[in-house]
Amino acid sequence: MKKFVSLFLALVMVLSMFAVATAETETKKVGISMPTQSLERWNRDGSYLKEEFEKAGFEAVLTYSDNDAGRQVNDIQNMLADGVDVLVISAIDDGALNTVMDEAAELGVPVVAYDRLISNDAVSYYVSFDNYTVGVLQGQYVETALDLANAGDKVYNIEFTAGDPADTNATYFFNGAFDTLKPYIDAGTLNVVSGQTEFQQVATAQWNTDNALNRAQTVLSSFYADGTVLDVWLCSNDSTALGVAQAIESDYAGTNPIIVTGQDGDVANLANIVDGKQTMTVYKNVADEAVVTLSLVQAMFAGDVDGAALAASFGVPCAYDTESYETTPGNKVESFLLVPTTVTKDNLQYLVDIGLYEMGEDGYLLAK
Ligand code: BGC
């Protein structure tokens, strides 16, 4: 009998050790919710994220919600019902996600806000680029290109186009650029001919190219049809810069070169840079953003996120920032912020060198 009991106990021990081992190696499921496939970058983000997580042994569910905030809520609810262990979300409309974020919190599913912050305390971490700096780089480009500090009495005319008010990033980009150029606007060196200097006046719903095109055409026909010279159009990103460049082609009578800024390095915009229809873009390596997100999630599941050490381990510059972003007033969120880079006609080769683009024989870049 004694022998039988100890045999039984031994069996129980072996079985429970087996249970612990399988729980530890159990495949984790990540739900990746991206805004839309209609803008180039999110296709890259989605596929890099899925690929990285799958390579690391995760099961990955990837959805695009066609820039429809209601659909994104649905997609995330389906992921929760599907039993995801963690959510990586880039919000279409920050304000629309509150209920589903509360649902994630109730289920104990952690959320990583990816690229765009979500104003809800269910968010455990934020992974992005330094978005204010994106705008600063655009402003500084203009400042240097026109040598504004030494402009004397010269006056340059400028217009602004910003992003989607539903996207928390949009105001950071705009403020970074506007704050950089404001001293020159105040001094009269830069003149916003339309007078439209408020974010809400220059915003572009859904970052949509046609919306940016339409507003730019209206501004050009209302304020520049009399031959007024335009020198700069500061656009927050590439999808809006594409619309503005089209409007300049169709509705601007002058022939002077106009500085047009952007962000992302979309292939169509890189072609415009080669052709002189856009002047610069701020490039953000979203392959790095995916790698950072994966490492963070792995550290979360290992129960060990030492933010500063983690940020230092990526092999690319990344700030660990615990001060700049809040999910609700007073509730700071730990953020991992990668560094954006200015790209112009002169350093297009940089994009080839980092391995994500190739130079076509026609001199235009192609995404790899
Ligand atoms: C991203 C930009 C992008 C924009 C429109 C922003 O949240 O940070 O890279 O251009 O959304 O998709």
Side-chain angles (χ1 to χ4, degrees), residues 272-331:
N272 271 0
I273 290 179
V274 172
D275 292 342
K277 296 178 193 166
Q278 182 171 327
T279 325
M280 62 88 80
T281 190
V282 177
Y283 184 68
K284 304 186 299 189
N285 187 333
V286 297
D288 289 344
E289 204 173 358
V291 170
V292 168
T293 306
L294 170 67
S295 308
L296 169 64
V297 169
Q298 284 176 317
M300 284 162 70
F301 284 128
D304 171 29
V305 180
D306 175 345
L310 193 63
S313 74
F314 298 132
V316 287
C318 180
Y320 170 61
D321 181 328
T322 54
E323 287 303 317
S324 303
Y325 293 93
E326 294 180 341
T327 46
T328 52
N331 194 16

Side-chain angles (χ1 to χ4, degrees), residues 84-354:
V84 293
D85 299 290
V86 58
L87 285 165
V88 174
I89 300 175
S90 195
I92 293 167
D93 180 348
D94 177 36
L97 291 184
N98 259 320
T99 307
V100 72
M101 288 298 89
D102 293 346
E103 287 165 10
E106 268 164 39
L107 290 167
V109 176
V111 177
V112 175
Y114 179 84
D115 203 81
R116 299 173 172 177
L117 189 59
I118 304 168
S119 310
N120 184 292
D121 295 342
V123 172
S124 307
Y125 297 97
Y126 179 38
V127 175
S128 194
F129 281 77
D130 183 336
N131 295 309
Y132 185 82
T133 297
V134 169
V136 170
L137 290 177
Q138 295 166 337
Q140 284 175 341
Y141 180 84
V142 173
E143 189 180 23
T144 309
L146 298 177
D147 195 15
L148 294 178
N150 300 305
D153 290 340
K154 183 113 184 63
V155 177
Y156 294 101
N157 293 333
I158 183 169
E159 298 296 336
F160 288 85
T161 289
D164 185 352
D167 174 356
T168 46
N169 287 346
T171 44
Y172 284 94
F173 301 144
F174 177 73
N175 290 342
F178 199 83
D179 293 352
T180 307
L181 296 178
K182 190 170 182 297
Y184 301 106
I185 296 173
D186 291 346
T189 309
L190 288 176
N191 177 27
V192 187
V193 178
S194 69
Q196 297 175 10
T197 53
E198 297 298 323
F199 172 76
Q200 290 299 341
Q201 293 176 302
V202 302
T204 309
Q206 302 215 317
W207 293 96
N208 180 285
T209 298
D210 286 340
N211 293 342
L213 166 72
N214 291 338
R215 176 174 164 267
Q217 284 180 326
T218 307
V219 168
L220 288 171
S221 59
S222 312
F223 300 98
Y224 293 86
D226 61 358
T228 301
V229 170
L230 172 67
D231 298 293
V232 183
W233 205 307
L234 195 134
C235 302
S236 284
N237 87 329
D238 280 354
S239 60
T240 55
L242 212 55
V244 165
Q246 275 177 47
I248 290 171
E249 266 193 293
S250 63
D251 285 63
Y252 180 63
T255 51
N256 62 301
I258 299 170
I259 294 174
V260 177
T261 67
Q263 164 186 198
D264 285 336
D266 288 352
V267 167
N269 298 76
L270 296 173
N272 271 0
I273 290 179
V274 172
D275 292 342
K277 296 178 193 166
Q278 182 171 327
T279 325
M280 62 88 80
T281 190
V282 177
Y283 184 68
K284 304 186 299 189
N285 187 333
V286 297
D288 289 344
E289 204 173 358
V291 170
V292 168
T293 306
L294 170 67
S295 308
L296 169 64
V297 169
Q298 284 176 317
M300 284 162 70
F301 284 128
D304 171 29
V305 180
D306 175 345
L310 193 63
S313 74
F314 298 132
V316 287
C318 180
Y320 170 61
D321 181 328
T322 54
E323 287 303 317
S324 303
Y325 293 93
E326 294 180 341
T327 46
T328 52
N331 194 16
K332 309 236 184 254
V333 61
E334 291 178 61
S335 306
F336 295 86
L337 305 175
L338 289 149
V339 179
T341 312
T342 297
V343 168
T344 68
K345 205 171 186 165
D346 296 335
N347 67 341
L348 282 174
Q349 184 60 31
Y350 163 79
L351 297 176
V352 178
D353 295 343
I354 58 173

